[in-house]
Amino acid sequence: MAFSIRTRLTFWYVTLLTVSLIGFGVAFSYSLFKIFMYRMDNQITSVANMMVHTVLKPTGQIFLPNDFDIILERFFGIRTSGNFIQVRDAHGGVLAKSSNLEGATMPISQDTYHAALNGFISYEVVSMAGRYPMRVITKPIILPQKGMVAIVQVGESLEGVQEVLRSLFYIYVLAIILAVITASAVGWFLARKALKPVTEITDMARRIGAENLNERLNIAVPQDEIGRLASTINEMIERLEKSFKQIKQFTADASHELKTPLTILKGEMEIALRGKGGPEHLREALKSSLEEIDRMNYIVRNLLDLAKMDVEREALPKERVSLDRVLTERFEHFRRPALDSGVHLAILRNKHAVVCGDSVRLGQLLFNLIDNAVKYTPHGGRVELSLDEESGKAVVRVKDTGVGISPEDLPYIFDRFYRVDKARTRDVGGAGLGLSICKEIAESHGGTLEAASVAGKGTTFTAALPLAGAVAEA
Ligand SMILES: Nc1ncnc2c1ncn2[C@@H]1O[C@H](COP(=O)(O)OP(=O)(O)OP(=O)(O)O)[C@@H](O)[C@H]1O
Ligand SMILES: [Mg+2]
């Protein structure tokens, strides 16, 4: 069963308090008992000492009066009241005892008797039928020539001690119950107070949805744990808001991009339907329509590619790909079109480099980069390709002497649908998706794609991908 934090906090608090109170109570009663015992032992020891002086004559004889009680009364007065006294002979037989013992006899165990024989004094708690337990001192009387001649036993009832301890126990149990009840109530209240900000955060977070992602949680004390939690949640909402915006923007751009060719297509069709021109005109209209369809097809294909890559990222094929081979293939593919547009395309260096990944996607990456370079380089320009190995990475550079990209545009060229010159690129057929696909491919292979450019002079794209060996080591 799951309990709330508040319940658990209160439970632990109360449990801890109860355990410490009980611990304290046990320690306290034990100490008190020890103190009582200490005092009692002192008392019976001094009575026992006096008894030894009373019964032992200077001649070494044991003197036992007829009326033991009278003697006790006379010698010790009030002090013996409550003490039980008993004198035994050397064999353990009872010689005399105080009348308050009535018919009973203070027992002596084998061990105690042997200890006395050896001259040792014993203290013990003894129980006698129908009476309270007693604390008893057993002290031998030893003469140098004769050895042990008698044993003096003095006892005191534990009744008083037990009574005090019992009353203390009842008071203490009552106090613990009261303390636990009070502590539960206070703990419950304090836990609620401490957890109030969490409840507030929960309520606030519940209110934030897709429509009001711009809202943030209020943070009362930013430095404490709750404050940090709230700012972490705020950061998360911010990231969500950003990706939500990106998705919205992407959808809007995609619809817009597809709408343009559709509008043109519709226009062409309407003109053709009106049938004013001859068959030549109709041919033109169909040709133009086909171009728009191609364009839409191209955009949709690229969009699908991007969507697929977003999903595929984890499940990318991991084959060994010779990047130099891919580069040569792409170079061969573009040789003719480059020649046609008067651009000199060349491979400067092509080092053998094996990377781990998807050969089709890597081919697409190089294709898009070379395609751009050729596309955005005017007649007479150069496009140079190179593949090097630099600190565990395969580095492909596509360098052109084309139109270049201004510093204001450079940060955005990898964004989806971003094109520098909207009007011009439409003629060249770009949708602004090529570079975002390239970036996605490079990153899904654990690499990077960067651009450096000087407007009017040319651009260099650098893709760095980890070598297959480096991936295996990592
Ligand atoms: N080598 C380059 N020289 C100059 N500008 C470039 C170069 N490569 C890209 N750009 C600029 O960056 C923009 C984005 O490039 P990207 O490849 O993403 O789109 P595109 O080429 O216009 O269209 P697509 O590649 O989808 O057919 C281009 O429109 C172009 O303005
Ligand atoms: Mg492109």
Side-chain angles (χ1 to χ4, degrees):
M1 190 148 64
F3 293 103
S4 68
I5 292 186
R6 189 177 168 192
T7 315
R8 275 180 286 166
L9 272 181
T10 315
F11 173 76
W12 283 114
Y13 168 63
V14 170
T15 309
L16 216 71
L17 184 80
T18 314
V19 169
S20 19
L21 280 179
I22 290 176
F24 172 76
V26 168
F28 180 73
S29 328
Y30 181 74
S31 316
L32 204 67
F33 179 73
K34 279 280 162 199
I35 293 170
F36 275 136
M37 280 305 172
Y38 176 75
R39 291 181 57 122
M40 201 173 260
D41 286 354
N42 279 348
Q43 144 86 3
I44 54 181
T45 307
S46 61
V47 173
N49 287 339
M50 284 190 266
M51 274 312 297
V52 172
H53 285 295
T54 313
V55 298
L56 185 65
K57 296 283 115 189
T59 54
Q61 299 292 111
I62 295 293
F63 160 73
L64 288 168
N66 290 342
D67 198 342
F68 206 63
D69 283 325
I70 302 270
I71 292 283
L72 294 175
E73 197 63 53
R74 190 177 312 147
F75 274 89
F76 308 120
I78 201 78
R79 271 179 31 220
T80 59
S81 65
N83 284 134
F84 302 93
I85 297 165
Q86 188 171 278
V87 181
R88 291 175 183 268
D89 62 19
H91 305 291
V94 178
L95 293 176
K97 58 185 175 184
S98 57
S99 63
N100 55 5
L101 273 170
E102 289 158 1
T105 305
M106 280 187 276
I108 183 164
S109 67
Q110 282 290 325
D111 289 348
T112 314
Y113 177 70
H114 284 294
L117 267 183
N118 292 319
F120 292 111
I121 300 172
S122 310
Y123 295 91
E124 58 200 332
V125 174
V126 303
S127 330
M128 291 155 71
R131 285 173 178 271
Y132 274 100
M134 252 183 226
R135 183 73 171 167
V136 174
I137 177 177
T138 304
K139 185 181 166 86
I141 300 177
I142 303 210
L143 295 179
Q145 313 82 13
K146 295 187 183 168
M148 186 173 81
V149 290
I151 299 168
V152 171
Q153 287 185 292
V154 178
E156 189 174 333
S157 168
L158 289 175
E159 185 180 358
V161 176
Q162 280 193 344
E163 211 118 274
V164 169
L165 288 179
R166 191 175 300 129
S167 318
L168 207 71
F169 174 76
Y170 290 137
I171 293 172
Y172 204 74
V173 166
L174 199 73
I176 287 184
I177 292 173
L178 282 179
V180 165
I181 292 173
T182 319
S184 307
V186 173
W188 184 251
F189 170 76
L190 282 182
R192 195 183 76 163
K193 207 168 148 53
L195 292 173
K196 200 165 155 244
V198 177
T199 319
E200 279 172 9
I201 288 182
T202 313
D203 290 345
M204 276 192 278
R206 199 172 280 146
R207 278 202 304 276
I208 296 180
E211 326 70 48
N212 55 346
L213 269 178
N214 56 335
E215 277 187 30
R216 294 291 178 271
L217 307 178
N218 295 331
I219 303 174
V221 190
Q223 297 84 15
D224 68 5
E225 290 84 346
I226 306 283
R228 287 205 297 272
L229 172 71
S231 40
T232 311
I233 295 179
N234 274 346
E235 282 161 24
M236 195 184 77
I237 299 174
E238 201 170 312
R239 287 198 297 274
L240 274 179
E241 189 188 9
K242 216 171 127 197
S243 24
F244 242 75
K245 267 190 187 149
Q246 270 171 359
I247 293 171
K248 265 191 186 158
Q249 181 68 40
F250 182 66
T251 318
D253 287 348
S255 331
H256 179 254
E257 289 302 320
L258 288 172
K259 217 179 113 212
T260 316
L262 268 178
T263 314
I264 298 174
L265 198 63
K266 190 163 177 271
E268 297 282 0
M269 295 281 175
E270 279 168 357
I271 294 172
L273 266 182
R274 267 185 237 129
K276 292 242 175 75
E280 198 46 40
H281 202 99
L282 217 69
R283 245 184 93 83
E284 272 305 308
L286 276 180
K287 210 176 131 216
S288 162
S289 304
L290 210 59
E291 271 170 22
E292 291 308 321
I293 289 174
D294 278 346
R295 184 173 166 74
M296 281 201 294
N297 198 7
Y298 176 78
I299 294 175
V300 171
R301 220 176 43 231
N302 278 334
L303 279 179
L304 277 177
D305 258 2
L306 272 172
K308 233 162 73 190
M309 268 187 287
D310 281 344
V311 178
E312 252 170 20
R313 223 171 189 179
E314 298 302 310
L316 199 78
K318 294 263 182 292
E319 56 198 18
R320 290 169 67 83
V321 184
S322 300
L323 210 55
D324 45 311
R325 276 245 301 277
V326 180
L327 186 71
T328 316
E329 273 169 29
R330 295 294 108 182
F331 169 73
E332 292 299 340
H333 179 274
F334 274 104
R335 222 194 329 216
R336 186 79 239 168
L339 210 64
D340 289 347
S341 45
V343 173
H344 179 80
L345 179 66
I347 296 187
L348 291 192
R349 284 178 308 282
N350 195 10
K351 188 140 196 322
H352 176 65
V354 178
V355 297
C356 187
D358 183 348
S359 60
V360 179
R361 293 274 179 235
L362 290 170
Q364 197 180 3
L365 164 68
L366 295 186
F367 180 96
N368 285 353
L369 291 182
I370 304 173
D371 177 52
N372 280 351
V374 173
K375 224 162 47 173
Y376 301 111
T377 302
H379 198 91
R382 287 179 67 85
V383 173
E384 288 165 351
L385 313 176
S386 66
L387 170 57
D388 301 282
E389 235 187 76
E390 286 170 20
S391 50
K393 300 222 157 144
V395 180
V396 186
R397 289 194 180 81
V398 179
K399 183 167 184 261
D400 65 55
T401 58
V403 295
I405 305 163
S406 69
E408 304 89 69
D409 290 311
L410 204 55
Y412 304 107
I413 54 167
F414 295 109
D415 289 356
R416 293 174 184 188
F417 293 114
Y418 192 85
R419 290 179 314 228
V420 172
D421 184 343
K422 313 277 184 286
R424 194 199 61 202
T425 40
R426 215 189 130 68
D427 302 337
V428 204
L433 290 172
L435 283 180
S436 36
I437 292 176
C438 289
K439 185 130 187 135
E440 191 75 33
I441 295 174
E443 284 175 359
S444 65
H445 281 77
T448 53
L449 175 61
E450 280 158 12
S453 184
V454 180
K457 283 255 162 75
T459 311
T460 304
F461 280 92
T462 309
L465 304 167
L467 289 168
V471 171
E473 272 166 39

